[in-house]
Amino acid sequence: QVHLVESGGGLVQAGGSLRLSCAASGTGFSINFMGWSRQAPGKQRELVAAISSGGASNYGDSVKGRFTISRDNAKNTVYLQMNSLKPEDTAVYYCNCNTVSWSGVPQQYWGQGTQVTVSS
């Protein structure tokens, strides 16, 4: 079982920055991809960014050039640096990771979510 703990959300003015963190804990697994998705009220959950264990990353079109994803494999932690925030970035941000157990079973886990609110 993997437990994800997110932190760093909050209220910020448009043009400001926030940094989200998500730490994975547990035993008996290795982590492949880690990432962030978000869901605004009345909208579907969408990919924000994802990063492989080797550091390859991809981003949703709406955040390219403004957000940066990174990870610390030794700490099983993924970060999301969000710059030039816009009101439309307001959403609940969810961390997720894809793991493989020592017995070879793949699984995906999600965090509880952290609210990001950008005021205009």
Side-chain angles (χ1 to χ4, degrees):
Q1 185 72 19
V2 175
H3 184 52
L4 298 174
V5 177
E6 300 142 329
S7 61
L11 173 65
V12 65
Q13 288 188 331
S17 298
L18 283 174
R19 188 188 193 214
L20 305 183
S21 299
C22 173
S25 61
T27 59
F29 65 94
S30 62
I31 300 177
N32 293 332
F33 283 89
M34 300 187 79
W36 295 91
S37 297
R38 68 186 182 187
Q39 187 165 21
K43 295 188 177 181
Q44 290 187 329
R45 190 173 296 190
E46 63 173 350
L47 171 72
V48 175
I51 186 167
S52 72
S53 57
S57 59
N58 65 290
Y59 297 89
D61 288 342
S62 61
V63 306
K64 285 180 181 176
R66 299 187 298 123
F67 291 9
T68 302
I69 191 169
S70 61
R71 66 188 281 176
D72 184 333
N73 290 332
K75 297 180 179 179
N76 285 338
T77 299
V78 64
Y79 307 95
L80 184 68
Q81 178 66 44
M82 305 184 293
N83 298 329
S84 302
L85 283 162
K86 305 175 181 180
E88 51 263 43
D89 294 318
T90 295
V92 178
Y93 284 69
Y94 297 92
C95 171
N96 76 283
C97 68
N98 294 340
T99 67
V100 178
S101 70
W102 297 150
S103 59
V105 177
Q107 287 194 306
Q108 184 177 66
Y109 295 91
W110 290 86
Q112 293 287 81
T114 184
Q115 177 70 45
V116 171
T117 303
V118 184
S119 63
S120 57

